[in-house]
Amino acid sequence: MKTHQTRQCFSSLLLSSFAMLVNPVYVESTVVLAVVLCVHMAVWNQHSWCSIALVIQAFYVQHKWDRLLRSGGAVFQFRPAANSGIVPASMVMPLLGLALREKCSASGNVYFERFSMVVTITGMMLALFLSLIALGITRPVPTNTCVIAGMAGSAILYTTKQTLTVSEVIEVLEVLLIFVYLCLIVLYLLPRCFTPGEALLIVGGISFIVNQLIKRSLNLAEVKGDPVNYFLPVIVVGSLLLGVFFALLFCFMESETWVSSLFFHMMTAVLGLGILMPWLSLFIGRHPFMWLLDFVTFNDRRLCLLGYWVFLAVVATIVVLHQNYQRQSGSKKHQASTVVRKYFHLIVVATYVPGLIYDRQLLHVASVGCLAVFLFLEYVRYFRIRPLGQLLRQLLTLFLDERDSGPLILTHIYLLVGMSLPIWLFPGPCAPKGILPGAGGLVPYAGVLAVGVGDTVASVFGSTMGEIRWPGTKKTMEGTATSVFAQIIAVAMFLIFDGSINLNSTYSWIVGSITLVAMLEAYTSQIDNLLLPLYLFILLLL
């Protein structure tokens, strides 16, 4: 059955994509449509039909957003040299919810099945809201697009009424309200950092996390599950509070003085020790430091993994210092090359693969801790907090690329998040013994495959050996082909070293999924470190 679905999905992709190779946006949208059709054929319910309606209206709305960006008519300043990215970003949360619901339904977990439905509807509502903004500020009013968006919105609202309870609808509206306020704050304070699609994906995800954390904090008696899963929401909310508070504060006072720097460090300590630690202890039932100490020293393997990761962190630091030394000595160009930047992808692959094979819980906690450190250091760099602010600015400037056009440097954070998302999103309660059958066994490896292996090989081989370019892009066919081939080899290696993976004759589905995501990498202008792992995660989860 899955082999037949695979052939239908990917044959439809080939027939439609080559007919529209002139415009990269069309091909990107076609790849996303192929993924939507794959999910629809695997799930086949009311929500999957709504996802088809959503992707059609998103395609029309994306052209309105692109026109607004080119004409400068958008309300906020978005990242230049990229399209709006509405189509790929709009479909992530709905498709993720559909795929998670299918797994939870098969395992009989009713609670997470309902939760997945909320994720799906929330993603659709956020996408519709962003569409309404574009239609509201476009002049003259695009009648055809308004009709299509109205039809899609009506179908989604009707399905919401039929499938969600009143409390679940209220939960969706709460996320939408948080999203509106966060968008106003983030896009005002951080101009040129995001495209509209990236803002939808990132701010929408943060809004959902904030709402879930508030909901669980108000119902502590119902809190259950693995304590590991509560670290990420607390860290995300704490980092958000810290960033928004000091971004507003430093609008009215100088941030580079020692007084301001001391106040920053003091308030960070107060937030971490006085608010976040007690907050986290409510969820895990113990003091977080004591829990972490017992967790890390649970066995010798965890201590060995931590030692190995510290060694790799030292290696990465040496690479940064060495590249800056060469820049100062004048033996290198001002900016690091693509090949040099991909060194960090290889280091991250060497970090994640042993963790995925031997201890995924430790990798989960370590990646959340690393995210907290990265965000804190970016705040220090952005606000020029002494004594490290200016030094971090000098060190990281070398590794800027065209996507770091705003005041923040987010490339390394995107890399960490993209590699970690499949681990953070893994549906543990819906997986018997923590393992998914078939292609689902590769779900935790989606970040390693899509970003660590695929994107790295495509960039290195495409920039050094590629000659035939995909029409309308700078990416090469050689880079895409070697990316697919390298990911297939990586899957074979994972099968050898990870005995928990049992593909059960789903090889054609895996190859097709890898190929789809590789095509998306070739044509998207969005942050591929975020999009690619999510789409591969969704396809492997089916």
Side-chain angles (χ1 to χ4, degrees), residues 321-332 394-395:
L321 295 175
H322 176 67
Q323 291 297 320
N324 275 271
Y325 173 76
Q326 289 188 324
R327 178 181 65 174
Q328 293 174 0
S329 63
S331 59
K332 289 279 185 177
Q394 295 172 359
L395 292 176

Side-chain angles (χ1 to χ4, degrees), residues 116-196:
S116 301
M117 292 172 60
V118 173
V119 173
T120 299
I121 296 299
T122 300
M124 292 181 178
M125 290 299 180
L126 294 178
L128 285 176
F129 175 76
L130 206 62
S131 300
L132 290 176
I133 293 178
L135 298 177
I137 61 179
T138 300
R139 294 293 181 272
V141 177
T143 306
N144 294 337
T145 306
C146 287
V147 171
I148 294 172
M151 294 173 62
S154 299
I156 293 171
L157 289 174
Y158 177 78
T159 303
T160 301
K161 177 180 178 296
Q162 295 294 316
T163 56
L164 295 190
T165 64
V166 175
S167 61
E168 290 169 341
V169 172
I170 293 174
E171 188 174 345
V172 172
L173 295 177
E174 290 169 352
V175 176
L176 186 59
L177 182 63
I178 297 172
F179 175 77
V180 172
Y181 282 105
L182 279 184
C183 271
L184 292 175
I185 295 173
V186 171
L187 295 179
Y188 174 76
L189 295 176
L190 303 174
R192 304 181 308 280
C193 283
F194 312 102
T195 65

Side-chain angles (χ1 to χ4, degrees), residues 165-375:
T165 64
V166 175
S167 61
E168 290 169 341
V169 172
I170 293 174
E171 188 174 345
V172 172
L173 295 177
E174 290 169 352
V175 176
L176 186 59
L177 182 63
I178 297 172
F179 175 77
V180 172
Y181 282 105
L182 279 184
C183 271
L184 292 175
I185 295 173
V186 171
L187 295 179
Y188 174 76
L189 295 176
L190 303 174
R192 304 181 308 280
C193 283
F194 312 102
T195 65
E198 291 163 4
L200 170 63
L201 188 61
I202 296 169
V203 180
I206 293 175
S207 302
F208 191 85
I209 290 174
V210 170
N211 184 67
Q212 287 298 311
L213 187 62
I214 294 174
K215 176 184 173 183
R216 282 164 171 72
S217 299
L218 296 176
N219 297 278
L220 289 174
E222 300 179 6
V223 170
K224 55 183 178 179
D226 194 339
V228 168
N229 296 325
Y230 293 106
F231 279 82
L232 179 62
V234 173
I235 291 297
V236 168
V237 173
S239 301
L240 178 67
L241 292 174
L242 184 69
V244 171
F245 174 76
F246 280 104
L248 295 175
L249 179 66
F250 289 144
C251 287
F252 305 100
M253 61 181 294
E254 182 64 40
S255 64
E256 300 180 37
T257 63
W258 274 109
V259 174
S260 298
S261 299
L262 290 174
F263 181 67
F264 174 86
H265 292 301
M266 182 184 68
M267 289 303 298
T268 302
V270 169
L271 176 66
L273 299 177
I275 298 177
L276 299 186
M277 287 297 176
W279 200 354
L280 190 56
S281 66
L282 293 177
F283 295 113
I284 64 178
R286 294 181 59 190
H287 193 283
F289 280 142
M290 301 305 299
W291 185 92
L292 275 175
L293 182 62
D294 292 340
F295 178 80
V296 170
T297 58
F298 180 73
N299 55 39
D300 292 338
R301 177 179 291 176
R302 288 185 174 176
L303 294 175
C304 291
L305 277 174
L306 285 175
Y308 171 67
W309 291 338
V310 170
F311 168 75
L312 290 178
V314 172
V315 171
T317 304
I318 292 174
V319 171
V320 173
L321 295 175
H322 176 67
Q323 291 297 320
N324 275 271
Y325 173 76
Q326 289 188 324
R327 178 181 65 174
Q328 293 174 0
S329 63
S331 59
K332 289 279 185 177
K333 295 190 295 184
H334 184 69
Q335 293 300 119
S337 65
T338 300
V339 176
V340 171
R341 286 199 293 268
K342 297 307 175 182
Y343 287 164
F344 297 100
H345 285 236
L346 296 178
I347 292 175
V348 172
V349 170
T351 301
Y352 274 72
V353 171
L356 287 168
I357 294 175
Y358 296 112
D359 200 327
R360 293 178 186 177
Q361 277 197 323
L362 179 64
L363 181 60
H364 186 129
V365 175
S367 59
V368 172
C370 192
L371 175 65
V373 173
F374 276 19
L375 291 174

